[in-house]
Amino acid sequence: GTDVTNSFSAYLDRYFISQSGIIYFVVDHRGSAYLGRKGKDNLYRNMGKWEINDYTEAAKWLKTKSFIDSTKIGITGGIGSGKTTVCKIFEVLGIPSYYADDRAKELLESDKNVIKKVKNIFGDDVYNEQGKLDRHRVATIVFNFPEILAEYNAIIHPAVFQDAVIWMLRHT
């Protein structure tokens, strides 16, 4: 059977999504969220027939719903959670995909406002002379200090969301 829950997790990306009237939909292939980090990591490294089938069926189901605008389906998740896999499946089904992770990396090195705010947190030397962000340094800090991660996310999430809205308008 299909389990549907009416709940909201307090993640910043989900907050911005919900404020725009976008439906938040989770595909948890075969209960992977309940296997713990080690179990999830194993599943994501070994995506098989059933996981791909689950994602494909979810995409097909969403595409049939009259209340779904297929130009505005957001795929979110943690590192290695299958976002790219889902987007590739959507593309095969003819649905354009906005890659937030890729755009976040681009915005971190091209958006002057984002760069200024990132420098305010990590210092000017977090970018090299060519304007490249020292991702390793940032990762080392944010994954050891949750409060700094929250500040960092509060910069990049709204910037990516705004960029995504512009992208969606161009693909409508």
Side-chain angles (χ1 to χ4, degrees):
T2 301
D3 292 333
V4 177
T5 58
N6 183 12
S7 63
F8 180 77
S9 298
Y11 292 105
L12 195 57
D13 60 338
R14 295 173 193 169
Y15 171 78
F16 285 110
I17 289 169
S18 69
Q19 293 302 303
S20 298
I22 297 172
I23 296 168
Y24 188 78
F25 180 82
V26 177
V27 177
D28 179 9
H29 53 273
R30 315 268 182 241
S32 64
Y34 304 103
L35 298 175
R37 178 65 187 226
K38 191 173 182 179
K40 282 176 69 174
D41 288 348
N42 185 49
L43 270 174
Y44 294 135
R45 277 192 299 276
N46 298 297
M47 294 281 285
K49 172 185 169 188
W50 297 112
E51 292 82 17
I52 298 299
N53 183 64
D54 287 348
Y55 286 140
T56 303
E57 290 303 311
K60 287 178 183 176
W61 179 84
L62 283 169
K63 197 172 180 181
T64 67
K65 301 304 169 196
S66 62
F67 58 87
I68 295 292
D69 178 349
S70 67
T71 64
K72 297 178 183 171
I73 296 174
I75 307 297
T76 66
I79 296 169
S81 63
K83 298 180 299 290
T84 300
T85 302
V86 173
C87 288
K88 293 296 181 189
I89 292 168
F90 278 149
E91 288 175 355
V92 166
L93 294 172
I95 302 169
S97 295
Y98 173 87
Y99 291 88
D101 289 350
D102 294 343
R103 288 298 296 149
K105 290 174 187 169
E106 292 171 23
L107 291 169
L108 282 163
E109 295 180 353
S110 66
D111 185 300
K112 292 179 183 356
N113 189 38
V114 169
I115 292 167
K116 179 182 175 186
K117 290 177 181 180
V118 169
K119 285 181 177 181
N120 285 340
I121 295 175
F122 300 102
D124 289 344
D125 61 342
V126 75
Y127 287 90
N128 68 20
E129 291 177 8
Q130 292 75 37
K132 297 291 180 192
L133 180 65
D134 184 343
R135 295 184 200 291
H136 178 73
R137 180 174 159 198
V138 170
T140 300
I141 295 168
V142 299
F143 291 121
N144 287 301
F145 298 95
E147 65 281 359
I148 296 176
L149 175 60
E151 282 183 68
Y152 186 63
N153 284 339
I155 294 168
I156 196 61
H157 287 174
V160 171
F161 186 77
Q162 182 180 21
D163 186 70
V165 168
I166 293 167
W167 181 90
M168 283 185 268
L169 291 172
R170 289 182 183 148
H171 289 84
T172 303

